[in-house]
Amino acid sequence: DPSPLPWRTALRCGSCLPRGPQMTSTSAAIIAVITCRPAPTAIASRPSRTSAAIPELPAVIAAIAAISLGDLAVAHTVIDDAVAGGQGGPWATRRLLLWQAWVAVQRNHPTEAREALAQAQDCPARPSPRDAMLTEAVHVAIARRYEDAVGLEAAWRHARGSLLRTDIDLYLLLPLAELMSAAARVGDTDRIRP
C-alpha cells in the first residue's frame, strides 16, 4: 500500500506565486548591491589594473539585474545615480557612462545613448578592452535599431575586433548578445563561432 505523497504548503502567502515575495527579495537584493561601495585596494586605485580587482561596479550589476527583470526604469535610475554620485571614483566614470548609454538604448532613447557615448569618449584615460567592447556594442545597438543595413554593417565591421580582445564574463552577456545578433543580421556568423 503506497503512502500518500506529502502535501506542499507555502510558508508565506504568495510565496508559490510567480513574482510574489520573490520580487520583494529581488528588489531588496538590488538595493543591497546599489549601496555597496567597491573595496579600496592598491590594485583598484591604479586605473590600468582595475578590472583585476573589481570585475564590475555595483551599480552596473544592479542595472543588469534590473534589465534582466524587465525593469528598465530601475536600471536607468541606478546608473544615473551612480554617474551623478561618482561611484567607483574617476576610473569608473567611462564604464558608468557606457552603461548609461546601454540602458538608454534599451529604453529606446537613442539621443541619450549618443550623448552618454560622447561623454564616455571624452574621458581622458585609454579605454580598457572591456570598455572598448561595450562602446562598440552600444554603437552596434544604435545602428541595429535606428540606422539602415549599411550603417549596421559598418558598425559591426568596426566592432568585431573588440570581441577578440575582451575576456567575456556574465556581466558582458547582454552586449555580447547584441554583437552576435548584429553578426547574424549582416551574415558574418563565422566570426562569432566558438
Side-chain angles (χ1 to χ4, degrees):
D1 182 279
S3 61
L5 295 174
W7 289 95
R8 294 182 183 211
T9 309
L11 297 176
R12 294 183 318 254
C13 179
S15 63
C16 60
L17 301 174
R19 302 217 186 255
Q22 167 192 0
M23 191 61 128
T24 303
S25 64
T26 303
S27 296
I30 289 174
I31 290 168
V33 171
I34 294 167
T35 58
C36 285
R37 298 253 189 264
T41 65
I43 293 173
S45 65
R46 286 182 264 151
S48 63
R49 302 283 308 263
T50 55
S51 62
I54 303 168
E56 204 50 87
L57 295 159
V60 172
I61 296 169
I64 292 169
I67 290 169
S68 298
L69 291 170
D71 199 341
L72 296 175
V74 168
H76 173 67
T77 301
V78 167
I79 290 294
D80 283 359
D81 288 350
V83 169
Q87 187 182 79
W91 71 267
T93 302
R94 179 189 311 268
R95 176 92 38 95
L96 289 171
L97 288 168
L98 291 171
W99 278 100
Q100 189 176 49
W102 179 262
V103 170
V105 170
Q106 303 310 309
R107 293 177 55 236
N108 297 320
H109 290 91
T111 304
E112 287 179 25
R114 287 182 180 105
E115 289 170 1
L117 264 178
Q119 289 177 354
Q121 291 173 338
D122 288 342
C123 290
R126 184 174 174 202
S128 68
R130 179 184 202 87
D131 291 345
M133 181 196 156
L134 185 53
T135 300
E136 298 304 334
V138 173
H139 281 293
V140 165
I142 291 170
R144 193 169 72 84
R145 289 166 177 81
Y146 303 106
E147 296 177 13
D148 59 6
V150 174
L152 174 60
E153 192 165 345
W156 165 246
R157 201 173 322 109
H158 194 263
R160 61 187 180 195
S162 67
L163 286 171
L164 301 174
R165 294 182 290 276
T166 307
D167 293 329
I168 304 295
D169 58 27
L170 291 175
Y171 304 119
L172 288 176
L173 287 181
L174 295 173
L176 176 63
E178 183 68 43
L179 293 172
M180 291 175 70
S181 177
R185 197 146 187 209
V186 299
D188 195 12
T189 55
D190 288 340
R191 292 212 184 255
I192 57 172
R193 286 201 178 140

